[in-house]
Amino acid sequence: MSSHLPDDELRAFIATLPTRRLASAAIIRDESGRVLVVEPNYKDGWTLPGGTTEAGEDPRTGCFREVLEEVGLQLPAGRLLLIAHGVNQGMWGDSVSFLYDGGQIPSNTKITVQEEELLGYAWVAPEDLDGYVSPRVADRLRTAIGCIADGTTAEVGPLH
């Protein structure tokens, strides 16, 4: 016989548990190994196609849904490359970010930028990523690119 907490006690306990935001993005490369980055209109800097995982959605599904919405690319859902933990991120709290392999596409592929969220896109060589994203994020992206090459998955963090 198992004992269970009454629903109200269980709900009260669950309310005390920590929460984390989930985000996911895709590393999409061209035939030269450059990475597709996008420039959002709601914050400074550049990022990868992707975004926040919606309620009831797993990170992989959310990633490739966001890729389709943001840059108009219907890509096969690639494998997980990197998990990054963010803790104590100010108003953002704690988070987990998932980077997936978006595969390789020709650089002349039509990119349709979602104008509600993005100003534009660029193809950037891995060694030049520091000019677009923070050095810490650039290192993580290069780590994920290395995971593509060697078939591994990396876990990094926490962000501070």
Side-chain angles (χ1 to χ4, degrees):
M1 181 184 303
S2 63
S3 76
H4 297 308
L5 291 174
D7 278 354
D8 57 338
E9 288 181 40
L10 182 57
R11 288 180 199 284
F13 169 71
I14 291 171
T16 69
L17 297 175
T19 59
R20 291 185 185 258
R21 286 166 180 72
L22 300 179
S24 55
I27 295 183
I28 302 166
R29 296 158 293 120
D30 73 1
E31 64 277 352
S32 300
R34 296 179 301 172
V35 177
L36 179 65
V37 296
V38 293
E39 184 179 18
N41 60 19
Y42 54 87
K43 66 179 182 177
D44 291 335
W46 295 72
T47 190
L48 294 176
T52 302
T53 301
E54 295 179 355
E57 182 177 59
D58 67 90
R60 182 186 318 267
T61 300
C63 174
F64 290 94
R65 173 190 50 77
E66 285 280 344
V67 167
L68 179 59
E69 289 175 8
E70 290 184 349
V71 293
L73 297 174
Q74 178 120 29
L75 302 174
R79 73 178 186 83
L80 178 64
L81 300 173
L82 185 136
I83 302 167
H85 299 281
V87 295
N88 298 320
Q89 298 294 293
M91 68 178 172
W92 292 103
D94 296 342
S95 65
V96 180
S97 297
F98 299 83
L99 291 179
Y100 292 95
D101 186 355
Q104 188 174 13
I105 64 172
S107 59
N108 64 356
T109 299
K110 181 173 173 43
I111 305 290
T112 305
V113 173
Q114 182 187 36
E115 294 179 3
E116 296 83 14
E117 291 185 25
L118 302 175
L119 298 171
Y121 73 93
W123 290 103
V124 180
E127 62 271 17
D128 297 330
L129 285 166
D130 297 272
Y132 291 81
V133 298
S134 74
R136 178 185 64 227
V137 172
D139 286 345
R140 288 173 184 214
L141 297 181
R142 287 188 284 266
T143 296
I145 292 166
C147 291
I148 293 169
D150 64 20
T152 61
T153 302
E155 184 174 15
V156 297
L159 295 172
H160 289 291

